[in-house]
Amino acid sequence: MLELVLCTLIWGAAFIAQKAGSEHFGPFTVICGREFLAAAFLLCCAVRRRDGWSRTALVGGTLSGLFIFAGELCQQIGVTRTTPGVAAFLTTNYVLLVPLFGSVLGKRPGWGVWGGAVLALAGTYLLCIGTGEGRIGVGTGELWVLLCAVFFALQILVVERFVRDCDPLKFSLVQVTAAGLVALPFVFLPGELSRMSWSGTVHGLPALLFLGIAASGL
């Protein structure tokens, strides 16, 4: 439970870092940078693991990485078109989507799960939106973030399916590496390259380091 609370704190701060990173880099560059930084961090953590690479970690991690890439891309695009608070609130719709998708797959959650999901969503609304940061509108940014919640919900179900049968650390290393590799070719698009500069890299690097080491790695 403590690990999940720490995860929540880090991810909450990550929305601010994503907003800061978007001021200096394109969305694919942010994703590629954060995932490769995460891969380097996790590789250092896994270097002393003596057990081998299981097929479950490779297959499940790769599939999870594809959903991470899709979710982060939608989220990164959306956060440039709305506020971090609104993006955080809309992203947490995955707490409702996970049991919904799970029930479609035959995993019927109890009423306690549904009640907890509704309360969590209501609490997030009060924290993120009730502070006067802004009201939720149905704009382009909000739609992108809602789509990211769908991909993150699917990613959570993939993790639940595969991670129990393999080393979680190596599973994580595979998924961030896969997400970074998918994003890499798009970094060389003209729109991405035109936003790169020495000054922008210097100012945007702290945000990337936080996203990579903390939000995607730790």
Side-chain angles (χ1 to χ4, degrees), residues 12-212:
F15 287 98
I16 301 174
Q18 282 182 278
K19 190 78 170 181
S22 67
E23 297 176 358
H24 305 286
F25 306 108
F28 292 106
T29 305
V30 172
I31 295 171
C32 186
R34 73 180 284 179
E35 298 305 339
F36 281 155
L37 283 169
F41 171 77
L42 291 172
L43 185 60
C44 293
C45 297
V47 69
R48 294 189 177 183
R49 293 290 179 100
R50 296 182 179 179
D51 52 323
W53 294 87
S54 67
R55 183 176 180 272
T56 302
L58 294 174
V59 174
T62 300
L63 182 59
S64 179
L66 295 177
F67 284 126
I68 284 181
F69 166 76
E72 286 184 353
L73 177 61
C74 295
Q75 189 179 68
Q76 190 64 37
I77 294 174
V79 80
T80 63
R81 294 166 168 81
T82 186
T83 64
V86 170
F89 168 63
L90 293 177
T91 299
T92 55
N93 276 280
Y94 67 72
V95 302
L96 292 175
L97 294 175
V98 168
L100 177 62
F101 293 163
S103 63
V104 173
L105 297 175
K107 300 179 179 180
R108 299 185 180 277
W111 286 108
V113 174
W114 287 110
V118 172
L119 287 175
L121 198 60
T124 305
Y125 173 82
L126 293 175
L127 289 171
C128 296
I129 310 302
T131 57
E133 186 175 356
R135 293 184 177 181
I136 295 180
V138 187
T140 305
E142 287 74 27
L143 291 175
W144 277 108
V145 179
L146 283 172
L147 183 58
C148 98
V150 174
F151 288 120
F152 283 147
L154 294 172
Q155 186 260 339
I156 290 172
L157 290 174
V158 171
V159 172
E160 192 273 338
R161 165 62 179 83
F162 288 95
V163 79
R164 299 184 185 190
D165 301 320
C166 63
D167 184 346
L169 183 57
K170 292 189 175 180
F171 179 96
S172 299
L173 177 55
V174 172
Q175 71 175 1
V176 296
T177 302
L181 288 174
V182 174
L184 181 59
F186 299 99
V187 172
F188 300 98
L189 291 174
E192 294 282 318
L193 294 175
S194 64
R195 299 192 59 185
M196 292 185 183
S197 67
W198 173 253
S199 175
T201 301
V202 171
H203 288 89
L205 186 58
L208 275 187
L209 287 172
F210 179 83
L211 290 170

